[in-house]
Amino acid sequence: MPARNRKPSIDPNRLPRHIGIIMDGNGRWATRRGMDRNQGHRAGSKAVRKVVRTCRRLGVSYLTMFAFSAQNWGRPESEIRALMELLGEFIVKEWQEIMDRDIRVVHLGDLKKVPVAVRRQLQELVAATRKNRSMTLALALSYGAREEILRTVRLLAGRVAKGKLNPADIDIDKFSGQLYTGKMPDPDLIIRTGGETRISNFLLWQSAYAEYHFSEKLWPDFSSQDLLGAIAEYQNRRRRFGLTDEQIDHRQAPEES
Ligand code: IPE
Ligand code: IPE
Ligand code: MG
């Protein structure tokens, strides 16, 4: 078998605990085939299912999928409608499998802007899966990181104004806890497909120490094999969190008896 087709080897003990994915390239995928952009989104939803299954099988604890940004509300109305319909369809089709695989679904973003029918479906799915424990699937939908940070600032400022919070007590943990991601751990690995090397308003606060993987593949073409490749690459990186190599080596050295 040629090397490029070989399955990347993954160390199950060093999996990223939280993977975030910026699923980009659906429109280009369709346009290149002479199809409507919305057909690209439909093809993209199949890739979502594959990647969710693979993460669950591997034992990844948290998976955040960036499905629709706060800025995507500026797209043509027909595309927004098609995307929302697709989301509703996804919820109906995947409901049973999500339950069977013990996946908890949470939502990140501004639900108020989401059309009421889909909003209800999403809220029902979140409620129904609340007690599932094997993996958390966070859907970032109507999500913008700057908007999320501002919302948190307003929330905390409100408590300060009411005399319920001392500004000196606002630390990183307190701030993080008020974001949509709440108690979720920060992402270890962020993957962006579609060839662009930018963040586009995704998890700005939470990704302070994330490792990035940029793929040229358009989202509908992104396979489980590509995901394994990204994880393998992640496992070859050295995360220092501001420390020196010596400090990291020392920390990882087995305890002396
Ligand atoms: C990503 O694909 C999905 C969403 C942003 C909703 P795009 O729709 O951005 O696809 P391209 O980047 O135009 O190819
Ligand atoms: C990022 O893709 C948002 C999602 C994948 C949901 P965009 O296509 O909106 O990003 P830009 O416009 O190329 O930065
Ligand atoms: Mg795009």
Side-chain angles (χ1 to χ4, degrees), residues 29 90 105 189 198 217:
W29 184 92
F90 182 84
V105 176
L189 171 63
R198 56 176 172 257
K217 289 258 183 103

Side-chain angles (χ1 to χ4, degrees), residues 23-28 37 72 75 192 196 198:
M23 308 182 275
D24 195 24
N26 293 349
R28 279 164 284 163
R37 285 178 61 83
N72 290 151
R75 291 197 179 188
R192 180 175 185 141
E196 309 291 0
R198 56 176 172 257

Side-chain angles (χ1 to χ4, degrees), residues 117-136:
V118 186
R119 189 194 312 160
R120 288 217 183 104
Q121 282 176 294
L122 187 55
Q123 284 170 322
E124 281 168 22
L125 180 64
V126 167
T129 62
R130 209 179 65 244
K131 293 194 173 138
N132 293 351
R133 284 292 170 267
S134 296
M135 181 172 96
T136 295

Side-chain angles (χ1 to χ4, degrees), residues 135-200:
M135 181 172 96
T136 295
L137 170 64
L139 292 177
L141 176 93
S142 186
Y143 172 85
R146 285 179 157 183
E147 289 77 359
E148 176 186 37
I149 291 169
L150 273 181
R151 174 181 171 271
T152 297
V153 168
R154 286 197 198 105
L155 207 131
L156 296 175
R159 283 192 204 154
V160 169
K162 282 187 189 148
K164 289 183 177 163
L165 177 66
N166 180 349
D169 291 336
I170 302 174
D171 58 13
I172 289 175
D173 279 348
K174 190 170 243 49
F175 197 90
S176 298
Q178 296 303 323
L179 294 167
Y180 289 125
T181 38
K183 291 190 171 73
M184 283 170 65
D186 285 342
D188 301 294
L189 171 63
I190 291 185
I191 298 169
R192 180 175 185 141
T193 62
E196 309 291 0
T197 46
R198 56 176 172 257
I199 309 305
S200 302

